[in-house]
Structure formats: C-alpha cells, structure tokens
Amino acid sequence: GDSVTQMEGPVTLSEEAFLTINCTYTATGYPSLFWYVQYPGEGLQLLLKATKADDKGSNKGFEATYRKETTSFHLEKGSVQVSDSAVYFCALSDLHQGAQKLVFGQGTRLTINP
Amino acid sequence: DSGVTQTPKHLITATGQRVTLRCSPRSGDLSVYWYQQSLDQGLQFLIQYYNGEERAKGNILERFSAQQFPDLHSELNLSSLELGDSALYFCASSVDRMDIQYFGAGTRLSVL
C-alpha cells in the first residue's frame, strides 16, 4: 500500500537557521501531498499542500515542492523561529474506493532554540 | 481553531471498559474521519463517514465501531478496552469525500 517516510527526529536548530525535513513517498497513483504541523497539546493543522507534480506549496515561510521523479516532498524554511517548534507530519492522500484517507509519516519533532 | 470539536479532551478508564468519543465537524462538512495516534503505530486512519454512511475503513479493530448521525456529528465507540488502546484519537472533517481534512484537538484515552 501507499506509505510515507520522513527523516528521523528529533531535529534541534538555532533560531534563524535553515530547515529541511525530508519526506519521500510510495504510491501507486498520483496522490496529493501535505505537510501538517502539531503544536504541543493541539491537533494537526494543515501547513501546506501540493496536488500535482512540480506544484509548490507554501505557507508561513515554509515551502515544499512535489517531485514526482524523486517521489519526494521535502519541507524547507529559510529562517526558523522559536515559535516553529512543533511536530511536523508529511502525508499523502490515498484514494480508496472513491473515498480519501490520509497516510502519514512518523512525524519529525522540531525544536528551535533562541 | 479548526472548527472541529472533540469531547472529552481526556478520558481515563480501566481495561475491559467501553467508552464513546464524540466529534462535531465544521459547519457544512459532510465527511468525518477518525485517526489514532500512538507512540508505536504513529498516526493511523481508522474509518471515514460521509453524510451518515461508512465510506472507507482502515486499521480499525473489531472492538471499535463508529457512526455518523443525521446532524452529522460522529461517535467512535471503543469496547473491551486494552492497555494498548491508550492513544490520542483525532477526528477530522472535510466538505466532501475528497477535500482537505481539518483536525480537532483530539481525545487522549488512557486505559489503566
């Protein structure tokens, strides 16, 4: 079945550092790809999405490009802030019998130190 | 605030017991999804309902069941609880079956 693999965490960076969180996927079709973020004690929030190859999703300074040739959707941010500390989940949408379910990676915990 | 409401926030119970988790979707959303987040399994899709009907099933145990009511709220029933059922249970909703999913804050279940 479809699957998502994220880089192992936790990741600790200093404020204003460059961030990359790697995500690769395996899918039989052409899924949409998502990054969700989970702040402490909260639910998942959609950070960005891309629905087809070469699409770039962006939000709050974060970006990710849907790369079909490398089956990747790496998350990047040029200058991280302490408030970006959270758990980040890469996900794909799996169309199953006409219904959509999300398949998530294992999550990457990010800590930003001032 | 995603607009998806889950109650209760925390639930502590004993093995063998039965609990019900409740989810109110965003206004206008017809589709409701349930996910389980545990340390060993990560985030896993359990089940989806659309306008009252079951549409997709994932890794949901036979001891678990769900339904979506005419007012579109959903309940997840967990019975014969085991220690391994301790997890965070999320509900998500979307406008239709294929749209972006918005997540609630989750119900943390502790089985002692």
Side-chain angles (χ1 to χ4, degrees):
Chain A
D2 295 355
S3 66
V4 175
T5 302
Q6 286 180 238
M7 66 185 287
E8 293 278 336
V11 174
T12 303
L13 296 171
S14 297
E15 208 165 19
E16 299 183 4
F18 184 85
L19 168 72
T20 299
I21 300 178
N22 289 337
C23 171
T24 57
Y25 67 91
T26 302
T28 51
Y30 301 95
S32 293
L33 301 175
F34 305 85
W35 277 99
Y36 278 83
V37 58
Q38 185 178 26
Y39 297 103
E42 298 184 14
L44 282 78
Q45 300 176 24
L46 178 66
L47 183 58
L48 52 84
K49 69 166 186 168
T51 56
K52 61 183 188 297
D54 300 324
D55 264 4
K56 178 187 280 189
S58 61
N59 186 25
K60 299 182 182 179
F62 291 90
E63 291 182 341
T65 301
Y66 191 143
R67 301 282 187 207
K68 186 166 170 287
E69 63 276 13
T70 54
T71 61
S72 65
F73 193 55
H74 305 321
L75 182 68
E76 296 183 338
K77 186 174 185 183
S79 176
V80 291
Q81 307 299 314
V82 172
S83 57
D84 294 327
S85 297
V87 180
Y88 291 81
F89 292 91
C90 184
L92 63 79
S93 63
D94 180 4
L95 296 179
H96 175 72
Q97 296 177 342
Q100 181 202 66
K101 67 172 184 177
L102 291 172
V103 176
F104 287 91
Q106 65 269 42
T108 301
R109 182 175 299 279
L110 173 67
T111 301
I112 306 300
N113 293 322
Chain B
D1 184 0
S2 67
V4 179
T5 304
Q6 289 188 248
T7 56
K9 288 193 186 325
H10 303 279
L11 205 45
I12 301 175
T13 188
T15 54
Q17 296 298 304
R18 182 178 189 276
V19 297
T20 297
L21 282 52
R22 183 188 168 99
C23 170
S24 294
R26 294 187 320 156
S27 176
D29 284 0
L30 298 177
S31 209
V32 170
Y33 312 75
W34 286 97
Y35 292 84
Q36 180 194 58
Q37 185 180 32
S38 62
L39 284 175
D40 53 346
Q41 298 289 331
L43 257 169
Q44 298 228 321
F45 168 75
L46 295 178
I47 197 164
Q48 179 199 8
Y49 278 80
Y50 175 76
N51 204 19
E53 293 188 8
E54 182 185 303
R55 286 296 182 181
K57 246 180 176 176
N59 299 325
I60 187 165
L61 299 171
E62 285 192 12
R63 300 183 285 107
F64 296 0
S65 65
Q67 53 185 326
Q68 186 179 27
F69 294 86
D71 67 352
L72 301 178
H73 91 272
S74 177
E75 293 181 356
L76 179 66
N77 300 297
L78 316 175
S79 61
S80 303
L81 286 167
E82 302 175 0
L83 296 177
D85 298 326
S86 296
L88 199 49
Y89 291 85
F90 286 110
C91 170
S93 73
S94 64
V95 172
D96 59 26
R97 290 171 291 168
M98 318 286 272
D99 206 353
I100 293 171
Q101 295 179 31
Y102 294 88
F103 282 74
T107 293
R108 183 171 296 281
L109 173 66
S110 298
V111 182
L112 305 178

mmCIF file of all heavy atoms in Angstrom, chain B residues 23-62:
data_model
loop_
_atom_site.group_PDB
_atom_site.id
_atom_site.type_symbol
_atom_site.label_atom_id
_atom_site.label_comp_id
_atom_site.label_asym_id
_atom_site.label_seq_id
_atom_site.Cartn_x
_atom_site.Cartn_y
_atom_site.Cartn_z
ATOM 1 N N CYS B 23 -17.450 13.668 18.178
ATOM 2 C CA CYS B 23 -16.856 14.639 17.261
ATOM 3 C C CYS B 23 -17.953 15.441 16.581
ATOM 4 O O CYS B 23 -18.883 14.874 16.000
ATOM 5 C CB CYS B 23 -16.026 13.909 16.208
ATOM 6 S SG CYS B 23 -15.457 14.958 14.846
ATOM 7 N N SER B 24 -17.813 16.753 16.626
ATOM 8 C CA SER B 24 -18.694 17.635 15.854
ATOM 9 C C SER B 24 -17.880 18.263 14.732
ATOM 10 O O SER B 24 -16.905 18.972 15.010
ATOM 11 C CB SER B 24 -19.279 18.728 16.743
ATOM 12 O OG SER B 24 -20.124 18.171 17.706
ATOM 13 N N PRO B 25 -18.240 18.004 13.487
ATOM 14 C CA PRO B 25 -17.448 18.520 12.365
ATOM 15 C C PRO B 25 -17.651 20.017 12.182
ATOM 16 O O PRO B 25 -18.519 20.626 12.810
ATOM 17 C CB PRO B 25 -17.999 17.743 11.168
ATOM 18 C CG PRO B 25 -19.416 17.441 11.540
ATOM 19 C CD PRO B 25 -19.395 17.224 13.032
ATOM 20 N N ARG B 26 -16.841 20.602 11.325
ATOM 21 C CA ARG B 26 -17.017 22.002 10.945
ATOM 22 C C ARG B 26 -18.396 22.170 10.320
ATOM 23 O O ARG B 26 -18.905 21.256 9.663
ATOM 24 C CB ARG B 26 -15.960 22.438 9.932
ATOM 25 C CG ARG B 26 -14.544 22.464 10.423
ATOM 26 C CD ARG B 26 -13.616 23.088 9.381
ATOM 27 N NE ARG B 26 -13.947 22.674 8.046
ATOM 28 C CZ ARG B 26 -13.654 23.367 6.952
ATOM 29 N NH1 ARG B 26 -13.040 24.529 7.054
ATOM 30 N NH2 ARG B 26 -13.970 22.911 5.759
ATOM 31 N N SER B 27 -18.957 23.341 10.495
ATOM 32 C CA SER B 27 -20.252 23.613 9.900
ATOM 33 C C SER B 27 -20.179 23.423 8.380
ATOM 34 O O SER B 27 -19.302 23.972 7.712
ATOM 35 C CB SER B 27 -20.654 25.057 10.228
ATOM 36 O OG SER B 27 -21.855 25.398 9.602
ATOM 37 N N GLY B 28 -21.088 22.608 7.863
ATOM 38 C CA GLY B 28 -21.129 22.393 6.421
ATOM 39 C C GLY B 28 -20.345 21.197 5.928
ATOM 40 O O GLY B 28 -20.502 20.782 4.779
ATOM 41 N N ASP B 29 -19.481 20.646 6.782
ATOM 42 C CA ASP B 29 -18.699 19.480 6.356
ATOM 43 C C ASP B 29 -19.536 18.220 6.453
ATOM 44 O O ASP B 29 -20.188 17.977 7.467
ATOM 45 C CB ASP B 29 -17.445 19.332 7.222
ATOM 46 C CG ASP B 29 -16.376 20.341 6.851
ATOM 47 O OD1 ASP B 29 -16.603 21.148 5.928
ATOM 48 O OD2 ASP B 29 -15.296 20.298 7.487
ATOM 49 N N LEU B 30 -19.493 17.411 5.405
ATOM 50 C CA LEU B 30 -20.286 16.187 5.369
ATOM 51 C C LEU B 30 -19.474 14.943 5.724
ATOM 52 O O LEU B 30 -20.034 13.909 6.055
ATOM 53 C CB LEU B 30 -20.883 15.998 3.969
ATOM 54 C CG LEU B 30 -21.847 17.088 3.492
ATOM 55 C CD1 LEU B 30 -22.304 16.791 2.065
ATOM 56 C CD2 LEU B 30 -23.053 17.190 4.415
ATOM 57 N N SER B 31 -18.174 15.054 5.612
ATOM 58 C CA SER B 31 -17.308 13.890 5.797
ATOM 59 C C SER B 31 -16.586 13.975 7.136
ATOM 60 O O SER B 31 -16.070 15.027 7.507
ATOM 61 C CB SER B 31 -16.292 13.842 4.662
ATOM 62 O OG SER B 31 -15.904 12.528 4.389
ATOM 63 N N VAL B 32 -16.551 12.855 7.848
ATOM 64 C CA VAL B 32 -15.858 12.768 9.130
ATOM 65 C C VAL B 32 -14.892 11.591 9.086
ATOM 66 O O VAL B 32 -15.223 10.523 8.568
ATOM 67 C CB VAL B 32 -16.862 12.575 10.291
ATOM 68 C CG1 VAL B 32 -16.120 12.237 11.577
ATOM 69 C CG2 VAL B 32 -17.692 13.830 10.489
ATOM 70 N N TYR B 33 -13.702 11.803 9.606
ATOM 71 C CA TYR B 33 -12.666 10.781 9.645
ATOM 72 C C TYR B 33 -12.211 10.595 11.091
ATOM 73 O O TYR B 33 -12.149 11.553 11.856
ATOM 74 C CB TYR B 33 -11.447 11.208 8.825
ATOM 75 C CG TYR B 33 -11.740 11.736 7.439
ATOM 76 C CD1 TYR B 33 -12.260 13.015 7.257
ATOM 77 C CD2 TYR B 33 -11.478 10.971 6.311
ATOM 78 C CE1 TYR B 33 -12.522 13.514 6.003
ATOM 79 C CE2 TYR B 33 -11.729 11.465 5.041
ATOM 80 C CZ TYR B 33 -12.255 12.742 4.898
ATOM 81 O OH TYR B 33 -12.513 13.230 3.632
ATOM 82 N N TRP B 34 -11.812 9.377 11.420
ATOM 83 C CA TRP B 34 -11.214 9.102 12.720
ATOM 84 C C TRP B 34 -9.807 8.540 12.515
ATOM 85 O O TRP B 34 -9.581 7.680 11.663
ATOM 86 C CB TRP B 34 -12.046 8.088 13.506
ATOM 87 C CG TRP B 34 -13.318 8.655 14.045
ATOM 88 C CD1 TRP B 34 -14.561 8.572 13.495
ATOM 89 C CD2 TRP B 34 -13.473 9.395 15.267
ATOM 90 N NE1 TRP B 34 -15.478 9.218 14.290
ATOM 91 C CE2 TRP B 34 -14.848 9.732 15.386
ATOM 92 C CE3 TRP B 34 -12.594 9.805 16.278
ATOM 93 C CZ2 TRP B 34 -15.342 10.454 16.467
ATOM 94 C CZ3 TRP B 34 -13.086 10.516 17.347
ATOM 95 C CH2 TRP B 34 -14.444 10.838 17.435
ATOM 96 N N TYR B 35 -8.871 9.049 13.331
ATOM 97 C CA TYR B 35 -7.483 8.598 13.306
ATOM 98 C C TYR B 35 -7.038 8.282 14.728
ATOM 99 O O TYR B 35 -7.501 8.880 15.699
ATOM 100 C CB TYR B 35 -6.561 9.687 12.751
ATOM 101 C CG TYR B 35 -6.745 9.998 11.286
ATOM 102 C CD1 TYR B 35 -7.722 10.891 10.854
ATOM 103 C CD2 TYR B 35 -5.937 9.396 10.330
ATOM 104 C CE1 TYR B 35 -7.888 11.174 9.508
ATOM 105 C CE2 TYR B 35 -6.089 9.676 8.977
ATOM 106 C CZ TYR B 35 -7.070 10.571 8.587
ATOM 107 O OH TYR B 35 -7.225 10.849 7.238
ATOM 108 N N GLN B 36 -6.104 7.351 14.820
ATOM 109 C CA GLN B 36 -5.499 7.011 16.114
ATOM 110 C C GLN B 36 -4.021 7.371 16.068
ATOM 111 O O GLN B 36 -3.329 7.027 15.096
ATOM 112 C CB GLN B 36 -5.657 5.507 16.378
ATOM 113 C CG GLN B 36 -5.060 5.038 17.692
ATOM 114 C CD GLN B 36 -4.941 3.521 17.751
ATOM 115 O OE1 GLN B 36 -4.299 2.917 16.914
ATOM 116 N NE2 GLN B 36 -5.572 2.921 18.750
ATOM 117 N N GLN B 37 -3.548 8.065 17.101
ATOM 118 C CA GLN B 37 -2.132 8.389 17.183
ATOM 119 C C GLN B 37 -1.544 7.722 18.427
ATOM 120 O O GLN B 37 -1.877 8.057 19.556
ATOM 121 C CB GLN B 37 -1.911 9.899 17.255
ATOM 122 C CG GLN B 37 -0.435 10.292 17.228
ATOM 123 C CD GLN B 37 -0.224 11.800 17.295
ATOM 124 O OE1 GLN B 37 -0.991 12.536 17.900
ATOM 125 N NE2 GLN B 37 0.836 12.280 16.646
ATOM 126 N N SER B 38 -0.652 6.785 18.201
ATOM 127 C CA SER B 38 0.012 6.100 19.311
ATOM 128 C C SER B 38 1.514 6.140 19.098
ATOM 129 O O SER B 38 1.985 6.353 17.978
ATOM 130 C CB SER B 38 -0.472 4.651 19.429
ATOM 131 O OG SER B 38 -0.139 3.930 18.252
ATOM 132 N N LEU B 39 2.250 5.907 20.170
ATOM 133 C CA LEU B 39 3.709 6.011 20.088
ATOM 134 C C LEU B 39 4.289 4.962 19.152
ATOM 135 O O LEU B 39 5.231 5.235 18.414
ATOM 136 C CB LEU B 39 4.317 5.871 21.486
ATOM 137 C CG LEU B 39 4.179 7.101 22.376
ATOM 138 C CD1 LEU B 39 4.714 6.812 23.771
ATOM 139 C CD2 LEU B 39 4.914 8.288 21.751
ATOM 140 N N ASP B 40 3.731 3.750 19.182
ATOM 141 C CA ASP B 40 4.330 2.680 18.374
ATOM 142 C C ASP B 40 3.796 2.637 16.943
ATOM 143 O O ASP B 40 4.520 2.271 16.021
ATOM 144 C CB ASP B 40 4.146 1.336 19.068
ATOM 145 C CG ASP B 40 2.695 1.063 19.424
ATOM 146 O OD1 ASP B 40 1.903 2.015 19.374
ATOM 147 O OD2 ASP B 40 2.363 -0.082 19.753
ATOM 148 N N GLN B 41 2.551 3.035 16.730
ATOM 149 C CA GLN B 41 1.952 2.932 15.393
ATOM 150 C C GLN B 41 1.902 4.257 14.648
ATOM 151 O O GLN B 41 1.609 4.280 13.447
ATOM 152 C CB GLN B 41 0.525 2.382 15.498
ATOM 153 C CG GLN B 41 0.427 0.986 16.070
ATOM 154 C CD GLN B 41 0.954 -0.054 15.117
ATOM 155 O OE1 GLN B 41 0.906 0.110 13.898
ATOM 156 N NE2 GLN B 41 1.503 -1.132 15.649
ATOM 157 N N GLY B 42 2.185 5.353 15.326
ATOM 158 C CA GLY B 42 2.077 6.651 14.668
ATOM 159 C C GLY B 42 0.618 7.021 14.437
ATOM 160 O O GLY B 42 -0.269 6.585 15.166
ATOM 161 N N LEU B 43 0.378 7.820 13.410
ATOM 162 C CA LEU B 43 -0.972 8.269 13.074
ATOM 163 C C LEU B 43 -1.575 7.321 12.059
ATOM 164 O O LEU B 43 -1.074 7.195 10.944
ATOM 165 C CB LEU B 43 -0.911 9.659 12.448
ATOM 166 C CG LEU B 43 -1.302 10.845 13.292
ATOM 167 C CD1 LEU B 43 -0.909 12.134 12.595
ATOM 168 C CD2 LEU B 43 -2.791 10.840 13.580
ATOM 169 N N GLN B 44 -2.685 6.674 12.439
ATOM 170 C CA GLN B 44 -3.282 5.697 11.550
ATOM 171 C C GLN B 44 -4.750 6.022 11.315
ATOM 172 O O GLN B 44 -5.488 6.333 12.252
ATOM 173 C CB GLN B 44 -3.185 4.302 12.160
ATOM 174 C CG GLN B 44 -1.756 3.831 12.369
ATOM 175 C CD GLN B 44 -1.554 2.435 11.852
ATOM 176 O OE1 GLN B 44 -2.419 1.596 12.000
ATOM 177 N NE2 GLN B 44 -0.411 2.176 11.247
ATOM 178 N N PHE B 45 -5.167 5.893 10.069
ATOM 179 C CA PHE B 45 -6.554 6.093 9.682
ATOM 180 C C PHE B 45 -7.402 4.934 10.196
ATOM 181 O O PHE B 45 -7.036 3.766 10.043
ATOM 182 C CB PHE B 45 -6.638 6.188 8.163
ATOM 183 C CG PHE B 45 -8.022 6.122 7.605
ATOM 184 C CD1 PHE B 45 -8.872 7.208 7.706
ATOM 185 C CD2 PHE B 45 -8.472 4.981 6.962
ATOM 186 C CE1 PHE B 45 -10.154 7.158 7.180
ATOM 187 C CE2 PHE B 45 -9.740 4.911 6.431
ATOM 188 C CZ PHE B 45 -10.585 6.004 6.541
ATOM 189 N N LEU B 46 -8.533 5.271 10.804
ATOM 190 C CA LEU B 46 -9.434 4.234 11.298
ATOM 191 C C LEU B 46 -10.649 4.053 10.382
ATOM 192 O O LEU B 46 -10.907 2.950 9.903
ATOM 193 C CB LEU B 46 -9.911 4.573 12.717
ATOM 194 C CG LEU B 46 -8.836 4.599 13.807
ATOM 195 C CD1 LEU B 46 -9.447 4.985 15.144
ATOM 196 C CD2 LEU B 46 -8.128 3.260 13.914
ATOM 197 N N ILE B 47 -11.395 5.141 10.176
ATOM 198 C CA ILE B 47 -12.646 4.992 9.449
ATOM 199 C C ILE B 47 -13.122 6.364 8.967
ATOM 200 O O ILE B 47 -12.764 7.394 9.537
ATOM 201 C CB ILE B 47 -13.705 4.314 10.352
ATOM 202 C CG1 ILE B 47 -14.869 3.751 9.547
ATOM 203 C CG2 ILE B 47 -14.167 5.256 11.465
ATOM 204 C CD1 ILE B 47 -15.719 2.761 10.324
ATOM 205 N N GLN B 48 -13.917 6.350 7.892
ATOM 206 C CA GLN B 48 -14.488 7.574 7.341
ATOM 207 C C GLN B 48 -15.983 7.400 7.139
ATOM 208 O O GLN B 48 -16.450 6.349 6.675
ATOM 209 C CB GLN B 48 -13.848 7.928 5.999
ATOM 210 C CG GLN B 48 -14.437 9.188 5.367
ATOM 211 C CD GLN B 48 -14.164 9.323 3.890
ATOM 212 O OE1 GLN B 48 -13.647 8.404 3.249
ATOM 213 N NE2 GLN B 48 -14.495 10.466 3.325
ATOM 214 N N TYR B 49 -16.722 8.452 7.453
ATOM 215 C CA TYR B 49 -18.140 8.520 7.153
ATOM 216 C C TYR B 49 -18.423 9.730 6.275
ATOM 217 O O TYR B 49 -17.754 10.770 6.392
ATOM 218 C CB TYR B 49 -18.964 8.628 8.441
ATOM 219 C CG TYR B 49 -19.186 7.302 9.099
ATOM 220 C CD1 TYR B 49 -18.198 6.723 9.890
ATOM 221 C CD2 TYR B 49 -20.362 6.590 8.897
ATOM 222 C CE1 TYR B 49 -18.383 5.481 10.465
ATOM 223 C CE2 TYR B 49 -20.559 5.349 9.480
ATOM 224 C CZ TYR B 49 -19.566 4.801 10.256
ATOM 225 O OH TYR B 49 -19.751 3.567 10.826
ATOM 226 N N TYR B 50 -19.376 9.553 5.396
ATOM 227 C CA TYR B 50 -19.797 10.657 4.541
ATOM 228 C C TYR B 50 -21.320 10.723 4.578
ATOM 229 O O TYR B 50 -21.994 9.773 4.172
ATOM 230 C CB TYR B 50 -19.294 10.473 3.113
ATOM 231 C CG TYR B 50 -19.797 11.519 2.152
ATOM 232 C CD1 TYR B 50 -19.247 12.797 2.160
ATOM 233 C CD2 TYR B 50 -20.818 11.244 1.251
ATOM 234 C CE1 TYR B 50 -19.704 13.771 1.294
ATOM 235 C CE2 TYR B 50 -21.285 12.218 0.379
ATOM 236 C CZ TYR B 50 -20.718 13.468 0.407
ATOM 237 O OH TYR B 50 -21.175 14.435 -0.444
ATOM 238 N N ASN B 51 -21.833 11.820 5.080
ATOM 239 C CA ASN B 51 -23.272 12.069 5.120
ATOM 240 C C ASN B 51 -24.024 10.879 5.716
ATOM 241 O O ASN B 51 -25.063 10.457 5.184
ATOM 242 C CB ASN B 51 -23.786 12.377 3.718
ATOM 243 C CG ASN B 51 -25.061 13.196 3.743
ATOM 244 O OD1 ASN B 51 -25.386 13.834 4.746
ATOM 245 N ND2 ASN B 51 -25.795 13.167 2.659
ATOM 246 N N GLY B 52 -23.475 10.333 6.775
ATOM 247 C CA GLY B 52 -24.149 9.276 7.502
ATOM 248 C C GLY B 52 -23.782 7.862 7.094
ATOM 249 O O GLY B 52 -24.162 6.901 7.773
ATOM 250 N N GLU B 53 -23.045 7.732 6.009
ATOM 251 C CA GLU B 53 -22.707 6.377 5.535
ATOM 252 C C GLU B 53 -21.214 6.109 5.662
ATOM 253 O O GLU B 53 -20.395 6.978 5.384
ATOM 254 C CB GLU B 53 -23.116 6.213 4.079
ATOM 255 C CG GLU B 53 -24.616 6.232 3.858
ATOM 256 C CD GLU B 53 -24.973 5.869 2.425
ATOM 257 O OE1 GLU B 53 -24.075 5.465 1.659
ATOM 258 O OE2 GLU B 53 -26.148 6.009 2.076
ATOM 259 N N GLU B 54 -20.869 4.890 6.022
ATOM 260 C CA GLU B 54 -19.460 4.497 6.074
ATOM 261 C C GLU B 54 -18.897 4.467 4.658
ATOM 262 O O GLU B 54 -19.498 3.881 3.754
ATOM 263 C CB GLU B 54 -19.337 3.130 6.724
ATOM 264 C CG GLU B 54 -17.908 2.655 6.860
ATOM 265 C CD GLU B 54 -17.837 1.228 7.392
ATOM 266 O OE1 GLU B 54 -18.381 0.961 8.476
ATOM 267 O OE2 GLU B 54 -17.232 0.384 6.696
ATOM 268 N N ARG B 55 -17.710 5.095 4.469
ATOM 269 C CA ARG B 55 -17.128 5.162 3.129
ATOM 270 C C ARG B 55 -15.804 4.436 2.999
ATOM 271 O O ARG B 55 -15.443 3.968 1.927
ATOM 272 C CB ARG B 55 -16.921 6.619 2.720
ATOM 273 C CG ARG B 55 -18.176 7.333 2.363
ATOM 274 C CD ARG B 55 -18.828 6.730 1.139
ATOM 275 N NE ARG B 55 -20.021 7.426 0.741
ATOM 276 C CZ ARG B 55 -20.780 7.081 -0.298
ATOM 277 N NH1 ARG B 55 -20.444 6.031 -1.020
ATOM 278 N NH2 ARG B 55 -21.852 7.783 -0.596
ATOM 279 N N ALA B 56 -15.032 4.427 4.055
ATOM 280 C CA ALA B 56 -13.727 3.772 3.982
ATOM 281 C C ALA B 56 -13.335 3.290 5.367
ATOM 282 O O ALA B 56 -13.668 3.904 6.371
ATOM 283 C CB ALA B 56 -12.671 4.733 3.447
ATOM 284 N N LYS B 57 -12.661 2.145 5.377
ATOM 285 C CA LYS B 57 -12.191 1.570 6.634
ATOM 286 C C LYS B 57 -10.700 1.368 6.562
ATOM 287 O O LYS B 57 -10.171 0.932 5.542
ATOM 288 C CB LYS B 57 -12.873 0.220 6.856
ATOM 289 C CG LYS B 57 -13.808 0.159 8.022
ATOM 290 C CD LYS B 57 -14.421 -1.221 8.160
ATOM 291 C CE LYS B 57 -15.280 -1.260 9.400
ATOM 292 N NZ LYS B 57 -15.989 -2.525 9.559
ATOM 293 N N GLY B 58 -10.038 1.668 7.653
ATOM 294 C CA GLY B 58 -8.605 1.449 7.727
ATOM 295 C C GLY B 58 -8.306 0.387 8.746
ATOM 296 O O GLY B 58 -8.968 -0.642 8.814
ATOM 297 N N ASN B 59 -7.299 0.648 9.580
ATOM 298 C CA ASN B 59 -6.873 -0.334 10.572
ATOM 299 C C ASN B 59 -7.727 -0.264 11.836
ATOM 300 O O ASN B 59 -7.216 -0.076 12.928
ATOM 301 C CB ASN B 59 -5.411 -0.103 10.932
ATOM 302 C CG ASN B 59 -4.516 -0.245 9.726
ATOM 303 O OD1 ASN B 59 -4.764 -1.069 8.861
ATOM 304 N ND2 ASN B 59 -3.491 0.589 9.648
ATOM 305 N N ILE B 60 -9.011 -0.434 11.691
ATOM 306 C CA ILE B 60 -9.893 -0.342 12.853
ATOM 307 C C ILE B 60 -10.183 -1.736 13.388
ATOM 308 O O ILE B 60 -10.526 -2.654 12.639
ATOM 309 C CB ILE B 60 -11.203 0.407 12.493
ATOM 310 C CG1 ILE B 60 -12.038 0.661 13.743
ATOM 311 C CG2 ILE B 60 -11.977 -0.299 11.395
ATOM 312 C CD1 ILE B 60 -13.136 1.677 13.557
ATOM 313 N N LEU B 61 -10.007 -1.901 14.696
ATOM 314 C CA LEU B 61 -10.236 -3.180 15.327
ATOM 315 C C LEU B 61 -11.735 -3.492 15.362
ATOM 316 O O LEU B 61 -12.573 -2.594 15.356
ATOM 317 C CB LEU B 61 -9.689 -3.155 16.766
ATOM 318 C CG LEU B 61 -8.192 -2.898 16.897
ATOM 319 C CD1 LEU B 61 -7.828 -2.687 18.373
ATOM 320 C CD2 LEU B 61 -7.378 -4.044 16.316
ATOM 321 N N GLU B 62 -12.044 -4.777 15.454
ATOM 322 C CA GLU B 62 -13.451 -5.182 15.523
ATOM 323 C C GLU B 62 -14.112 -4.692 16.801
ATOM 324 O O GLU B 62 -15.332 -4.516 16.849
ATOM 325 C CB GLU B 62 -13.563 -6.706 15.423
ATOM 326 C CG GLU B 62 -13.348 -7.220 14.016
ATOM 327 C CD GLU B 62 -13.749 -8.679 13.875
ATOM 328 O OE1 GLU B 62 -14.400 -9.208 14.796
ATOM 329 O OE2 GLU B 62 -13.403 -9.286 12.854
#
